[in-house]
Amino acid sequence: MSELTATASCTAYAAVVEASGEVVSQGLLVVRVAWLAGLAGDLTARLIAARWNAADLDALESGVGLDGRVLPSKGWMAVRRLGWGVGPAAGVHVCDRVMRCAQEQAARLLRLALHRRRLVAAIVATWPENAGARTGAEWDALRALLPDGVSAADIRNRTRQIRTYLDEQEVFPADLTDLEETPNVAAQIVLAAADRQLLTLQRTGSHTARLRVRLPLVESPASAKDWAWHALPVALPPTVPPQAALRTPTLRVAKGRVRVDLPFQTPIGFAPATGHVIGSGFDWGLNTLLTGVTGQLADGRVISDGRPFAYDASGICAKLHRLRAEREHLAAKHRHMEELLAGITLADSRYVALSTACQALGVEHERLCARIRHVNKALAWSAARWAVDQ
């Protein structure tokens, strides 16, 4: 057996304070979750700002802590083994588990920066004579230094970024820290680094779960008394099967609601090696929506003739491209109308006409978005049916 991991985005509409039984409305719950995310985000931002330099990135990339041991895979443990501590603001009480979550998010952002750093170093080291076009030998030299799995789009974007810096500063960037500002920290709290002292998660039914989490009662908690356990009932979408195992979520606030990004794992059984001799595999792509091939099991080996068969979606894809271009055009016009309205008063004779036109563009934009969603859903179902038919 293996496991398939996916994430479902759920919504928590209310909560109950366990100690007092107080029912927390959606608006108040949004505020308290935003306070928690703000406390963790502030710690993360200050930790990244303190370590956004070449020496500390070298230490993280070396994979060895101050004691000579290999850095663990868990980000918050790696940060602590490197001795990168950070504390809350003066007079603010934050428990160690919130510190863990902040350090975990900081470690993830810094490890992502290491990948970009290797790309920048490889491109600078093999900078072509003609920045507009690399020769075959220059491409070979660049590919030899790049990490595995780097796409042409990544190379193109980083090359443009370095060229812009070179045109402005007239020198190559010495490191990624010269090329980029400190990474932005998302307004969320990654609870994966926490344990039962900060949260618990329990499934209460086939489509319901109960999340217990400690939330601050004030924006700047001064002691442990300013924290309380909240029980959040969470409705699971139909995409989460009853047999799935729920994992630690991430909390964030979006559009006035508390979003619970809930990972779940579903057991997947292996196909038996006996009892069947013909199978098919499919790949989801961009240029060709679905590409498949058949294989035959013979003497423990899979043999294929190598002839692919493809799902032709060129017509509907062309329609989608046209609809998306029209949507972007309407969105640009709508933004322009809003800027014009912001620059005039209600007493202006043009205000009524501009306001009416702006509302009409907004309605048309929503209708176009709904049409695109409908076409996308129909395309996905058609491709899935074609795969099953094959």
mmCIF file of all heavy atoms in Angstrom, residues 57-58 60-63 110-126 141-148 150 154-155 158 162 174-177 179-180:
data_model
loop_
_atom_site.group_PDB
_atom_site.id
_atom_site.type_symbol
_atom_site.label_atom_id
_atom_site.label_comp_id
_atom_site.label_asym_id
_atom_site.label_seq_id
_atom_site.Cartn_x
_atom_site.Cartn_y
_atom_site.Cartn_z
ATOM 1 N N LEU A 57 23.076 31.888 4.386
ATOM 2 C CA LEU A 57 22.585 30.989 3.344
ATOM 3 C C LEU A 57 23.605 29.883 3.074
ATOM 4 O O LEU A 57 23.223 28.739 2.806
ATOM 5 C CB LEU A 57 22.281 31.772 2.069
ATOM 6 C CG LEU A 57 21.072 32.718 2.126
ATOM 7 C CD1 LEU A 57 20.896 33.440 0.805
ATOM 8 C CD2 LEU A 57 19.794 31.955 2.481
ATOM 9 N N ASP A 58 24.888 30.205 3.144
ATOM 10 C CA ASP A 58 25.917 29.169 3.009
ATOM 11 C C ASP A 58 25.807 28.145 4.127
ATOM 12 O O ASP A 58 25.969 26.938 3.907
ATOM 13 C CB ASP A 58 27.308 29.812 3.030
ATOM 14 C CG ASP A 58 27.634 30.541 1.739
ATOM 15 O OD1 ASP A 58 27.016 30.216 0.711
ATOM 16 O OD2 ASP A 58 28.504 31.435 1.770
ATOM 17 N N LEU A 60 23.130 27.317 5.830
ATOM 18 C CA LEU A 60 21.954 26.479 5.620
ATOM 19 C C LEU A 60 22.186 25.489 4.484
ATOM 20 O O LEU A 60 21.790 24.316 4.572
ATOM 21 C CB LEU A 60 20.736 27.357 5.317
ATOM 22 C CG LEU A 60 19.416 26.646 5.077
ATOM 23 C CD1 LEU A 60 18.994 25.832 6.307
ATOM 24 C CD2 LEU A 60 18.311 27.638 4.719
ATOM 25 N N GLU A 61 22.860 25.934 3.433
ATOM 26 C CA GLU A 61 23.094 25.065 2.280
ATOM 27 C C GLU A 61 24.108 23.972 2.601
ATOM 28 O O GLU A 61 24.079 22.896 1.990
ATOM 29 C CB GLU A 61 23.565 25.894 1.095
ATOM 30 C CG GLU A 61 23.592 25.135 -0.216
ATOM 31 C CD GLU A 61 23.807 26.042 -1.406
ATOM 32 O OE1 GLU A 61 24.239 27.192 -1.209
ATOM 33 O OE2 GLU A 61 23.531 25.603 -2.543
ATOM 34 N N SER A 62 24.981 24.210 3.550
ATOM 35 C CA SER A 62 25.980 23.197 3.909
ATOM 36 C C SER A 62 25.341 21.952 4.492
ATOM 37 O O SER A 62 25.896 20.856 4.407
ATOM 38 C CB SER A 62 26.976 23.789 4.898
ATOM 39 O OG SER A 62 26.360 24.033 6.157
ATOM 40 N N GLY A 63 24.159 22.106 5.114
ATOM 41 C CA GLY A 63 23.467 20.958 5.674
ATOM 42 C C GLY A 63 24.040 20.449 6.974
ATOM 43 O O GLY A 63 23.706 19.341 7.406
ATOM 44 N N LEU A 110 13.558 30.093 3.213
ATOM 45 C CA LEU A 110 14.995 30.161 2.986
ATOM 46 C C LEU A 110 15.490 28.995 2.140
ATOM 47 O O LEU A 110 16.393 29.158 1.309
ATOM 48 C CB LEU A 110 15.731 30.188 4.329
ATOM 49 C CG LEU A 110 15.572 31.471 5.152
ATOM 50 C CD1 LEU A 110 16.214 31.329 6.515
ATOM 51 C CD2 LEU A 110 16.163 32.672 4.407
ATOM 52 N N ARG A 111 14.899 27.827 2.315
ATOM 53 C CA ARG A 111 15.304 26.685 1.483
ATOM 54 C C ARG A 111 14.854 26.869 0.044
ATOM 55 O O ARG A 111 15.538 26.438 -0.890
ATOM 56 C CB ARG A 111 14.736 25.395 2.080
ATOM 57 C CG ARG A 111 15.537 24.894 3.279
ATOM 58 C CD ARG A 111 14.909 23.716 3.961
ATOM 59 N NE ARG A 111 15.838 23.101 4.917
ATOM 60 C CZ ARG A 111 15.509 22.155 5.778
ATOM 61 N NH1 ARG A 111 14.253 21.703 5.831
ATOM 62 N NH2 ARG A 111 16.410 21.649 6.603
ATOM 63 N N LEU A 112 13.714 27.497 -0.166
ATOM 64 C CA LEU A 112 13.316 27.846 -1.535
ATOM 65 C C LEU A 112 14.295 28.849 -2.138
ATOM 66 O O LEU A 112 14.604 28.795 -3.334
ATOM 67 C CB LEU A 112 11.897 28.417 -1.533
ATOM 68 C CG LEU A 112 10.755 27.423 -1.331
ATOM 69 C CD1 LEU A 112 9.428 28.164 -1.214
ATOM 70 C CD2 LEU A 112 10.692 26.427 -2.479
ATOM 71 N N ALA A 113 14.783 29.765 -1.312
ATOM 72 C CA ALA A 113 15.745 30.747 -1.803
ATOM 73 C C ALA A 113 17.047 30.077 -2.222
ATOM 74 O O ALA A 113 17.726 30.556 -3.137
ATOM 75 C CB ALA A 113 16.007 31.798 -0.733
ATOM 76 N N LEU A 114 17.415 28.988 -1.563
ATOM 77 C CA LEU A 114 18.635 28.276 -1.949
ATOM 78 C C LEU A 114 18.539 27.752 -3.379
ATOM 79 O O LEU A 114 19.529 27.757 -4.122
ATOM 80 C CB LEU A 114 18.902 27.119 -0.985
ATOM 81 C CG LEU A 114 19.275 27.488 0.447
ATOM 82 C CD1 LEU A 114 19.525 26.222 1.260
ATOM 83 C CD2 LEU A 114 20.498 28.389 0.476
ATOM 84 N N HIS A 115 17.352 27.298 -3.776
ATOM 85 C CA HIS A 115 17.178 26.821 -5.150
ATOM 86 C C HIS A 115 17.365 27.972 -6.124
ATOM 87 O O HIS A 115 18.089 27.850 -7.138
ATOM 88 C CB HIS A 115 15.793 26.204 -5.307
ATOM 89 C CG HIS A 115 15.467 25.806 -6.707
ATOM 90 N ND1 HIS A 115 16.041 24.712 -7.334
ATOM 91 C CD2 HIS A 115 14.642 26.367 -7.636
ATOM 92 C CE1 HIS A 115 15.579 24.609 -8.560
ATOM 93 N NE2 HIS A 115 14.735 25.599 -8.772
ATOM 94 N N ARG A 116 16.754 29.116 -5.840
ATOM 95 C CA ARG A 116 16.925 30.271 -6.723
ATOM 96 C C ARG A 116 18.380 30.738 -6.727
ATOM 97 O O ARG A 116 18.896 31.213 -7.742
ATOM 98 C CB ARG A 116 16.001 31.411 -6.281
ATOM 99 C CG ARG A 116 14.536 31.054 -6.250
ATOM 100 C CD ARG A 116 13.656 32.287 -6.186
ATOM 101 N NE ARG A 116 13.942 33.112 -5.027
ATOM 102 C CZ ARG A 116 13.406 32.935 -3.820
ATOM 103 N NH1 ARG A 116 12.589 31.913 -3.619
ATOM 104 N NH2 ARG A 116 13.688 33.746 -2.826
ATOM 105 N N ARG A 117 19.032 30.604 -5.590
ATOM 106 C CA ARG A 117 20.430 31.016 -5.489
ATOM 107 C C ARG A 117 21.320 30.180 -6.406
ATOM 108 O O ARG A 117 22.239 30.707 -7.057
ATOM 109 C CB ARG A 117 20.873 30.872 -4.036
ATOM 110 C CG ARG A 117 22.213 31.488 -3.707
ATOM 111 C CD ARG A 117 22.612 31.118 -2.297
ATOM 112 N NE ARG A 117 23.742 31.886 -1.818
ATOM 113 C CZ ARG A 117 24.606 31.448 -0.943
ATOM 114 N NH1 ARG A 117 24.478 30.212 -0.447
ATOM 115 N NH2 ARG A 117 25.606 32.196 -0.546
ATOM 116 N N ARG A 118 21.070 28.869 -6.454
ATOM 117 C CA ARG A 118 21.863 28.013 -7.339
ATOM 118 C C ARG A 118 21.621 28.361 -8.798
ATOM 119 O O ARG A 118 22.549 28.319 -9.618
ATOM 120 C CB ARG A 118 21.528 26.547 -7.058
ATOM 121 C CG ARG A 118 22.074 26.037 -5.727
ATOM 122 C CD ARG A 118 21.907 24.539 -5.613
ATOM 123 N NE ARG A 118 20.523 24.174 -5.325
ATOM 124 C CZ ARG A 118 20.032 24.008 -4.098
ATOM 125 N NH1 ARG A 118 20.812 24.186 -3.041
ATOM 126 N NH2 ARG A 118 18.771 23.662 -3.919
ATOM 127 N N LEU A 119 20.385 28.701 -9.144
ATOM 128 C CA LEU A 119 20.091 29.114 -10.514
ATOM 129 C C LEU A 119 20.848 30.377 -10.881
ATOM 130 O O LEU A 119 21.483 30.463 -11.954
ATOM 131 C CB LEU A 119 18.587 29.340 -10.681
ATOM 132 C CG LEU A 119 17.757 28.194 -11.247
ATOM 133 C CD1 LEU A 119 17.783 26.994 -10.301
ATOM 134 C CD2 LEU A 119 16.318 28.642 -11.472
ATOM 135 N N VAL A 120 20.816 31.364 -9.985
ATOM 136 C CA VAL A 120 21.491 32.631 -10.265
ATOM 137 C C VAL A 120 22.994 32.425 -10.388
ATOM 138 O O VAL A 120 23.641 32.968 -11.301
ATOM 139 C CB VAL A 120 21.161 33.649 -9.151
ATOM 140 C CG1 VAL A 120 22.048 34.886 -9.272
ATOM 141 C CG2 VAL A 120 19.688 34.044 -9.201
ATOM 142 N N ALA A 121 23.579 31.630 -9.503
ATOM 143 C CA ALA A 121 25.022 31.395 -9.555
ATOM 144 C C ALA A 121 25.427 30.711 -10.856
ATOM 145 O O ALA A 121 26.452 31.060 -11.458
ATOM 146 C CB ALA A 121 25.447 30.554 -8.352
ATOM 147 N N ALA A 122 24.614 29.734 -11.297
ATOM 148 C CA ALA A 122 24.941 29.033 -12.536
ATOM 149 C C ALA A 122 24.830 29.953 -13.747
ATOM 150 O O ALA A 122 25.691 29.918 -14.651
ATOM 151 C CB ALA A 122 24.018 27.827 -12.700
ATOM 152 N N ILE A 123 23.817 30.802 -13.785
ATOM 153 C CA ILE A 123 23.632 31.702 -14.930
ATOM 154 C C ILE A 123 24.731 32.755 -14.969
ATOM 155 O O ILE A 123 25.258 33.084 -16.036
ATOM 156 C CB ILE A 123 22.234 32.343 -14.872
ATOM 157 C CG1 ILE A 123 21.150 31.274 -15.061
ATOM 158 C CG2 ILE A 123 22.085 33.419 -15.932
ATOM 159 C CD1 ILE A 123 19.744 31.773 -14.878
ATOM 160 N N VAL A 124 25.089 33.309 -13.807
ATOM 161 C CA VAL A 124 26.155 34.311 -13.775
ATOM 162 C C VAL A 124 27.489 33.698 -14.182
ATOM 163 O O VAL A 124 28.284 34.302 -14.915
ATOM 164 C CB VAL A 124 26.236 34.939 -12.370
ATOM 165 C CG1 VAL A 124 27.498 35.799 -12.237
ATOM 166 C CG2 VAL A 124 25.002 35.775 -12.085
ATOM 167 N N ALA A 125 27.760 32.464 -13.729
ATOM 168 C CA ALA A 125 29.038 31.821 -14.049
ATOM 169 C C ALA A 125 29.172 31.491 -15.527
ATOM 170 O O ALA A 125 30.294 31.383 -16.037
ATOM 171 C CB ALA A 125 29.196 30.554 -13.208
ATOM 172 N N THR A 126 28.057 31.311 -16.214
ATOM 173 C CA THR A 126 28.098 30.955 -17.644
ATOM 174 C C THR A 126 27.427 32.034 -18.487
ATOM 175 O O THR A 126 26.757 31.727 -19.475
ATOM 176 C CB THR A 126 27.399 29.606 -17.858
ATOM 177 O OG1 THR A 126 26.035 29.693 -17.398
ATOM 178 C CG2 THR A 126 28.103 28.491 -17.102
ATOM 179 N N ALA A 141 27.174 24.287 -21.160
ATOM 180 C CA ALA A 141 27.877 24.686 -19.944
ATOM 181 C C ALA A 141 26.905 25.098 -18.846
ATOM 182 O O ALA A 141 27.112 24.796 -17.663
ATOM 183 C CB ALA A 141 28.837 25.840 -20.265
ATOM 184 N N LEU A 142 25.820 25.757 -19.237
ATOM 185 C CA LEU A 142 24.825 26.177 -18.244
ATOM 186 C C LEU A 142 24.091 24.975 -17.664
ATOM 187 O O LEU A 142 23.905 24.868 -16.443
ATOM 188 C CB LEU A 142 23.838 27.153 -18.892
ATOM 189 C CG LEU A 142 22.656 27.609 -18.020
ATOM 190 C CD1 LEU A 142 23.159 28.300 -16.763
ATOM 191 C CD2 LEU A 142 21.735 28.532 -18.808
ATOM 192 N N ARG A 143 23.680 24.062 -18.525
ATOM 193 C CA ARG A 143 22.956 22.880 -18.062
ATOM 194 C C ARG A 143 23.812 22.023 -17.127
ATOM 195 O O ARG A 143 23.295 21.371 -16.223
ATOM 196 C CB ARG A 143 22.513 22.036 -19.259
ATOM 197 C CG ARG A 143 21.405 22.665 -20.101
ATOM 198 C CD ARG A 143 20.100 22.692 -19.368
ATOM 199 N NE ARG A 143 18.992 23.163 -20.216
ATOM 200 C CZ ARG A 143 17.761 23.364 -19.765
ATOM 201 N NH1 ARG A 143 17.489 23.134 -18.498
ATOM 202 N NH2 ARG A 143 16.815 23.786 -20.577
ATOM 203 N N ALA A 144 25.115 22.032 -17.343
ATOM 204 C CA ALA A 144 25.993 21.234 -16.483
ATOM 205 C C ALA A 144 26.033 21.765 -15.048
ATOM 206 O O ALA A 144 26.280 21.011 -14.112
ATOM 207 C CB ALA A 144 27.399 21.203 -17.070
ATOM 208 N N LEU A 145 25.777 23.060 -14.865
ATOM 209 C CA LEU A 145 25.814 23.655 -13.528
ATOM 210 C C LEU A 145 24.454 23.746 -12.868
ATOM 211 O O LEU A 145 24.376 23.874 -11.646
ATOM 212 C CB LEU A 145 26.428 25.067 -13.608
ATOM 213 C CG LEU A 145 27.894 25.164 -14.030
ATOM 214 C CD1 LEU A 145 28.331 26.620 -14.066
ATOM 215 C CD2 LEU A 145 28.778 24.371 -13.080
ATOM 216 N N LEU A 146 23.384 23.684 -13.662
ATOM 217 C CA LEU A 146 22.046 23.859 -13.104
ATOM 218 C C LEU A 146 21.593 22.608 -12.355
ATOM 219 O O LEU A 146 21.978 21.490 -12.706
ATOM 220 C CB LEU A 146 21.043 24.163 -14.218
ATOM 221 C CG LEU A 146 21.103 25.555 -14.844
ATOM 222 C CD1 LEU A 146 20.152 25.636 -16.025
ATOM 223 C CD2 LEU A 146 20.755 26.626 -13.810
ATOM 224 N N PRO A 147 20.752 22.763 -11.331
ATOM 225 C CA PRO A 147 20.159 21.584 -10.675
ATOM 226 C C PRO A 147 19.225 20.852 -11.634
ATOM 227 O O PRO A 147 18.780 21.403 -12.658
ATOM 228 C CB PRO A 147 19.391 22.191 -9.489
ATOM 229 C CG PRO A 147 19.923 23.586 -9.330
ATOM 230 C CD PRO A 147 20.371 24.019 -10.676
ATOM 231 N N ASP A 148 18.916 19.620 -11.310
ATOM 232 C CA ASP A 148 18.008 18.831 -12.138
ATOM 233 C C ASP A 148 16.592 19.408 -12.064
ATOM 234 O O ASP A 148 16.161 19.922 -11.027
ATOM 235 C CB ASP A 148 17.990 17.376 -11.659
ATOM 236 C CG ASP A 148 19.342 16.702 -11.846
ATOM 237 O OD1 ASP A 148 20.091 17.140 -12.735
ATOM 238 O OD2 ASP A 148 19.636 15.740 -11.104
ATOM 239 N N VAL A 150 15.244 21.945 -13.794
ATOM 240 C CA VAL A 150 15.047 23.373 -14.054
ATOM 241 C C VAL A 150 14.463 23.542 -15.453
ATOM 242 O O VAL A 150 14.991 23.015 -16.430
ATOM 243 C CB VAL A 150 16.376 24.142 -13.931
ATOM 244 C CG1 VAL A 150 16.172 25.612 -14.258
ATOM 245 C CG2 VAL A 150 16.931 23.984 -12.523
ATOM 246 N N ASP A 154 12.241 28.996 -16.116
ATOM 247 C CA ASP A 154 13.040 29.445 -14.972
ATOM 248 C C ASP A 154 14.338 30.105 -15.448
ATOM 249 O O ASP A 154 14.749 31.151 -14.923
ATOM 250 C CB ASP A 154 13.369 28.265 -14.054
ATOM 251 C CG ASP A 154 12.154 27.742 -13.332
ATOM 252 O OD1 ASP A 154 11.227 28.543 -13.100
ATOM 253 O OD2 ASP A 154 12.107 26.537 -13.012
ATOM 254 N N ILE A 155 14.977 29.488 -16.424
ATOM 255 C CA ILE A 155 16.231 30.053 -16.942
ATOM 256 C C ILE A 155 15.967 31.416 -17.581
ATOM 257 O O ILE A 155 16.707 32.382 -17.349
ATOM 258 C CB ILE A 155 16.867 29.093 -17.949
ATOM 259 C CG1 ILE A 155 17.200 27.752 -17.279
ATOM 260 C CG2 ILE A 155 18.113 29.708 -18.579
ATOM 261 C CD1 ILE A 155 17.697 26.696 -18.241
ATOM 262 N N ARG A 158 15.157 34.115 -14.787
ATOM 263 C CA ARG A 158 16.338 34.508 -14.013
ATOM 264 C C ARG A 158 17.334 35.281 -14.870
ATOM 265 O O ARG A 158 18.005 36.211 -14.392
ATOM 266 C CB ARG A 158 17.004 33.266 -13.417
ATOM 267 C CG ARG A 158 16.155 32.573 -12.389
ATOM 268 C CD ARG A 158 15.888 33.459 -11.199
ATOM 269 N NE ARG A 158 14.746 32.987 -10.430
ATOM 270 C CZ ARG A 158 14.171 33.657 -9.447
ATOM 271 N NH1 ARG A 158 14.612 34.856 -9.131
ATOM 272 N NH2 ARG A 158 13.135 33.166 -8.799
ATOM 273 N N ILE A 162 18.707 39.014 -13.965
ATOM 274 C CA ILE A 162 20.128 39.360 -13.861
ATOM 275 C C ILE A 162 20.490 40.453 -14.866
ATOM 276 O O ILE A 162 21.263 41.372 -14.558
ATOM 277 C CB ILE A 162 20.988 38.103 -14.079
ATOM 278 C CG1 ILE A 162 20.725 37.092 -12.953
ATOM 279 C CG2 ILE A 162 22.468 38.460 -14.136
ATOM 280 C CD1 ILE A 162 21.344 35.731 -13.189
ATOM 281 N N ALA A 174 26.494 39.662 -6.735
ATOM 282 C CA ALA A 174 27.410 38.748 -6.056
ATOM 283 C C ALA A 174 26.670 37.568 -5.459
ATOM 284 O O ALA A 174 27.253 36.495 -5.295
ATOM 285 C CB ALA A 174 28.182 39.487 -4.965
ATOM 286 N N ASP A 175 25.398 37.762 -5.135
ATOM 287 C CA ASP A 175 24.609 36.697 -4.524
ATOM 288 C C ASP A 175 23.132 37.003 -4.743
ATOM 289 O O ASP A 175 22.772 38.104 -5.195
ATOM 290 C CB ASP A 175 24.904 36.575 -3.029
ATOM 291 C CG ASP A 175 24.594 35.190 -2.491
ATOM 292 O OD1 ASP A 175 23.431 34.773 -2.621
ATOM 293 O OD2 ASP A 175 25.501 34.505 -1.978
ATOM 294 N N LEU A 176 22.290 36.040 -4.397
ATOM 295 C CA LEU A 176 20.848 36.249 -4.519
ATOM 296 C C LEU A 176 20.386 37.400 -3.645
ATOM 297 O O LEU A 176 19.437 38.107 -3.990
ATOM 298 C CB LEU A 176 20.110 34.963 -4.127
ATOM 299 C CG LEU A 176 18.582 35.011 -4.179
ATOM 300 C CD1 LEU A 176 18.092 35.111 -5.619
ATOM 301 C CD2 LEU A 176 17.977 33.786 -3.505
ATOM 302 N N THR A 177 21.041 37.613 -2.515
ATOM 303 C CA THR A 177 20.644 38.692 -1.603
ATOM 304 C C THR A 177 20.857 40.069 -2.220
ATOM 305 O O THR A 177 20.224 41.034 -1.788
ATOM 306 C CB THR A 177 21.437 38.584 -0.295
ATOM 307 O OG1 THR A 177 22.838 38.568 -0.585
ATOM 308 C CG2 THR A 177 21.067 37.310 0.446
ATOM 309 N N LEU A 179 20.323 40.515 -5.448
ATOM 310 C CA LEU A 179 19.356 40.545 -6.547
ATOM 311 C C LEU A 179 17.924 40.683 -6.063
ATOM 312 O O LEU A 179 17.079 41.257 -6.751
ATOM 313 C CB LEU A 179 19.508 39.259 -7.374
ATOM 314 C CG LEU A 179 18.892 39.228 -8.766
ATOM 315 C CD1 LEU A 179 19.524 40.279 -9.655
ATOM 316 C CD2 LEU A 179 19.066 37.847 -9.379
ATOM 317 N N GLU A 180 17.622 40.162 -4.887
ATOM 318 C CA GLU A 180 16.258 40.148 -4.379
ATOM 319 C C GLU A 180 16.201 40.706 -2.968
ATOM 320 O O GLU A 180 17.149 40.575 -2.188
ATOM 321 C CB GLU A 180 15.700 38.712 -4.364
ATOM 322 C CG GLU A 180 15.561 38.079 -5.717
ATOM 323 C CD GLU A 180 14.947 36.689 -5.619
ATOM 324 O OE1 GLU A 180 14.633 36.250 -4.481
ATOM 325 O OE2 GLU A 180 14.783 36.037 -6.662
#
